[in-house]
Amino acid sequence: MLPASHTVPACGFAVDSDEGWWVYSGDIGPNPALWAALKGRRIAHLIIETAFGDDERWLADLSGHLAPSSLAAELAQLDGSVPVHITHPKPGEVAAVVAQIRAIDTAHRVEPLVKGLVFQL
């Protein structure tokens, strides 16, 4: 289990594999404790939420979620170049949130989760 920062109790999970840790953040706002827990670990994949677009960053902050700009700040704390999969964009905002995420300057490979995507550990 990994620490999550949210308005209600929440947690994330990691599964250790030969590739490294597969990390699911759960509902999350800015979370220094998560990055401290992952420091020095080899991360194979990170699944992290980005619920709101930057035009609603205030609402993301208030409700313990991420927007693309806060996601960028969180990912800056993650070493290396990790495949990052985005989950939890609000319905009707997916295209806008994904476009804003794709504009982030990061070494990580960031893509939204899509229906039918299968991971094998």
Side-chain angles (χ1 to χ4, degrees):
M1 289 183 63
L2 294 169
S5 175
H6 195 49
T7 55
V8 297
C11 65
F13 297 93
V15 176
D16 196 5
S17 75
D18 292 339
E19 298 175 73
W21 279 22
W22 286 68
V23 178
Y24 175 79
S25 70
D27 279 349
I28 189 171
N31 189 2
L34 173 65
W35 309 113
L38 297 180
K39 189 154 187 70
R41 304 276 184 188
R42 187 168 51 123
I43 308 301
H45 290 266
L46 169 65
I47 300 172
I48 191 166
E49 65 110 291
T50 307
F52 296 93
D54 279 330
D55 58 322
E56 294 183 308
R57 166 88 188 253
W58 65 273
L59 184 54
D61 293 344
L62 181 68
S63 60
H65 290 285
L66 296 176
S69 58
S70 52
L71 172 69
E74 295 300 290
L75 293 180
Q77 301 174 72
L78 181 61
D79 295 331
S81 178
V82 174
V84 177
H85 311 281
I86 301 301
T87 186
H88 207 77
K90 296 302 177 193
E93 299 184 24
V94 175
V97 170
V98 169
Q100 292 172 14
I101 289 169
R102 289 202 168 122
I104 292 172
D105 183 22
T106 181
H108 304 293
R109 299 175 305 278
V110 184
E111 292 292 330
L113 286 177
V114 294
K115 183 178 179 178
L117 182 63
V118 176
F119 295 104
Q120 293 192 352
L121 295 160

